[in-house]
Amino acid sequence: MLQNLSRYYHTIKHLKPIQIRYQAWYRLRNRFFPVKLPAIVETPNYQSIKLETFPGEKVSYHGKNKFRFLNLDQDFKDSINWNHPGHGKLWAYKLNYFEFLNQPELDFDTGQQLIRDYNSKIETSTEGLEPYPISLRGINWIKFMALHSRFPDEIIRSLFAQYRVLMNKIEYHLLGNHLLENGFSLLFGAIFYRDENMYRLAKKIITEQLEEQVLQDGAHFELSPMYHAIIFQRVLDSINLLKSNAHDETELMDLLCEKAALMGGWLRNMQLFDGSYPSVNDTVVGEFIHPEALLEYAGSLGITAETVPLGTCGYRKINYRGFELLADVGEIGPSYIPGHTHADTLSFILHHEGSPVIIDRGVSTYEKTALRSEERSTAAHNTVMVNGIEQSDMWGGFRVGKRASCRVLADNEHLLEAQHDGFQKQGFIHTRKWRAENGKIIIEDRVHGEGASSTAHLHFSPQIKLKETASNTYTANGLSISIQGQQQIEQKRYMKAAGFNKRIEAEKLKIHFSNQLTIIISAP
């Protein structure tokens, strides 16, 4: 009981007052005064939206009511269930986003028929009438109509009614990327319907949230390359919208262009030599448009990436003689919205000559299961646990209780040192140093405090076959990994996420030590 109270306290104390206020109000209103979909009899005023070319979505609709999301297939045969519960909430959300309307070669008649089917069942669309799906669906319906230059009255009336619902369900209780998506969608709706009230609300949300959510080095503050790419795409879509259609706006356009340049630069900084991006903080392979396509999209809109050295995001890179190391020495994410964060303080990934060696395990599910908890845990990352304690308390699928705070002690081209206080209550402080010298990468861990039983975890790429060549020395695709200060080393298997609902087996090392450990990685 006391443990649960402590967990709730450390979770709730970081929330903003607006989140608590709107959580209470929405719960009360949903019980006694639920927002209902209004009946729109007459077609509202609108303008025939134009858009420059934008990236197409991945193929997820395969004809004849067959869909594939999150690597799971569903054949609805004669009738689509838009609330389909069989594959979890995120799968149902994906179905309701209607991103498939903008996949390559989907013709207008097919897309319109799917929209008509949805509209015939919209009154029972419990998932689809939540504000986040409305927001994404609104953008996708407008993009679909603009792409084909066709604007059926039925779609225009239905979407207008949905925007009326959205304006009464803005996600102030969640904030973060959800609130920004509300704002971007309202901007699309405002320009399409020439709606001044909708425009004022959209501008207010986008302006306030972009100023807060895009950090000084260009990172989206939830620190996930996937969500960064998604928000970057929305910023670019908004620039596209304003550039291509009549409006009197310059202030918002200037802000969007400024943030787009910074966000593009951060993607450039985070990209690894092999063209990939680290699977940190709920970044899932194949679930977002590749950043290279987004950067090309930016270029077509006249946006040039502005690269600023990695700083406020907490990630740092060391590039040295074919080694490429990315370390996490920042906070776990925004304190009041940590839903996509992990217990990964002082974790790192390592590539050599463009090939992954030590990697982030990634995530394969958003469902609130033991697997979700495991994939967010300390032991699932390339960092250290002390006495079996989690450095940050990940719980409930998307919540965080007590969490580690990190401090950088040294930071230059070939040296990075930081420490965190996630174990301080138990009397321990973890310090980690990465050094690049003499053709080697050296990782030094020190746990300050008496009675420490520490475990370092190293997760290797599925392509890596570990081989013990001498006492406490392993080879991994030609690299030598020498370990000093250990008490015991376990070579184990783990399941790496290869996308939602898809995992593959790989190898890891669990290195038990007390207070000091040194790992030396050298090339031939």
Side-chain angles (χ1 to χ4, degrees), residues 22 25-26 29-30 33-38 129-131 134 160-173 182 186 198 201 205:
Y22 272 90
W25 163 236
Y26 284 166
R29 189 183 65 181
N30 288 344
F33 314 103
V35 175
K36 296 182 179 180
L37 191 73
L129 291 180
E130 292 184 26
I134 290 176
F160 191 75
Q162 293 173 57
Y163 272 123
R164 298 271 77 79
V165 172
L166 176 60
M167 290 185 72
N168 283 287
K169 286 187 173 183
I170 301 298
E171 292 176 281
Y172 294 118
H173 61 306
N182 298 162
L186 288 172
M198 201 181 297
L201 180 56
I205 292 172

Side-chain angles (χ1 to χ4, degrees), residues 357-474:
V357 180
I358 297 171
I359 63 171
D360 195 279
R361 173 173 168 169
V363 296
S364 63
T365 183
Y366 275 6
E367 296 301 303
K368 297 177 184 179
T369 62
L371 178 58
R372 171 71 174 160
S373 297
E374 179 187 339
E375 290 180 339
R376 295 179 75 206
S377 71
T378 307
H381 298 86
N382 303 310
T383 188
V384 170
M385 288 189 76
V386 180
N387 290 8
I389 301 164
E390 293 288 336
Q391 54 177 228
S392 294
D393 178 25
M394 305 284 151
W395 68 281
F398 296 92
R399 300 185 187 279
V400 184
K402 188 172 176 57
R403 70 279 312 258
S405 182
C406 191
R407 183 164 65 102
V408 176
L409 305 176
D411 183 4
N412 59 52
E413 185 180 8
H414 292 146
L415 171 67
L416 177 63
E417 183 177 10
Q419 67 178 205
H420 75 82
D421 62 0
F423 310 123
Q424 187 171 32
K425 187 175 180 181
Q426 290 76 26
F428 306 107
I429 296 289
H430 175 212
T431 301
R432 173 168 273 183
K433 181 189 294 184
W434 297 266
R435 289 187 288 134
E437 61 184 37
N438 301 323
K440 303 172 182 177
I441 297 291
I442 303 168
I443 302 111
E444 298 174 299
D445 287 302
R446 183 167 183 179
V447 176
H448 310 264
E450 297 295 327
S453 176
S454 309
T455 307
H457 298 264
L458 295 179
H459 298 81
F460 291 86
S461 166
Q463 287 73 44
I464 297 290
K465 303 301 178 186
L466 283 175
K467 183 179 180 182
E468 187 173 9
T469 56
S471 179
N472 309 321
T473 301
Y474 295 79

